[in-house]
Amino acid sequence: MAEASLSGGIKEAPKIVWNEKDKKFETEDKKAYLEYEVRGGGKVMDIIHTYVPSSKRGLGLASHLCVAALTHAQTHSMSIIPTCSYVSDTFLPRNPSWNSIVYTDDVKSNM
């Protein structure tokens, strides 16, 4: 009986797709996305823009897009530059564990 009430309230995380050609991570319907540029000879992902349409705001999509992009960067031994204000001002302060992959030109950070 408890299982039925628990499973009804759980929402599945949205599927985020990597669109390598357009340098985006996006929802399957392509309406919410995160755009990036690759810099430093492929070693740095500069996250330049995150967009979620007003009809989909409040669902945590921007955060899911960031996790997909940062996981990709981490898996490919890339650093990130949080040019997008959502990433630098909202996502990273709420998720400080990702600060370890933020690009810095400080030599000490690599020790």
Side-chain angles (χ1 to χ4, degrees):
M1 203 156 138
E3 285 180 29
S5 63
L6 287 175
S7 63
I10 297 173
K11 270 193 162 179
E12 195 174 308
K15 183 168 183 190
I16 305 297
V17 180
W18 178 34
N19 179 340
E20 185 176 10
K21 180 177 71 72
D22 292 336
K23 296 184 192 143
K24 289 182 178 180
F25 287 86
E26 55 197 12
T27 52
E28 283 185 299
D29 64 7
K30 300 184 185 308
K31 291 186 178 170
Y33 55 86
L34 177 150
E35 294 176 308
Y36 67 91
E37 293 290 331
V38 176
R39 305 194 189 287
K43 297 281 185 196
V44 181
M45 176 187 287
D46 185 351
I47 301 173
I48 54 175
H49 185 61
T50 305
Y51 175 76
V52 177
S54 56
S55 62
K56 297 195 179 261
R57 291 192 183 142
L59 303 174
L61 289 178
S63 179
H64 285 291
L65 290 163
C66 286
V67 168
L70 273 59
T71 300
H72 176 89
Q74 188 174 51
T75 302
H76 292 85
S77 301
M78 299 173 83
S79 297
I80 63 122
I81 298 173
T83 299
C84 169
S85 62
Y86 171 78
V87 180
S88 62
D89 300 347
T90 304
F91 182 81
L92 288 173
R94 289 180 184 170
N95 301 277
S97 63
W98 287 107
N99 286 333
S100 63
I101 65 166
V102 173
Y103 176 80
T104 175
D105 55 9
D106 181 1
V107 178
K108 290 182 207 162
S109 68
N110 295 326
M111 293 176 140

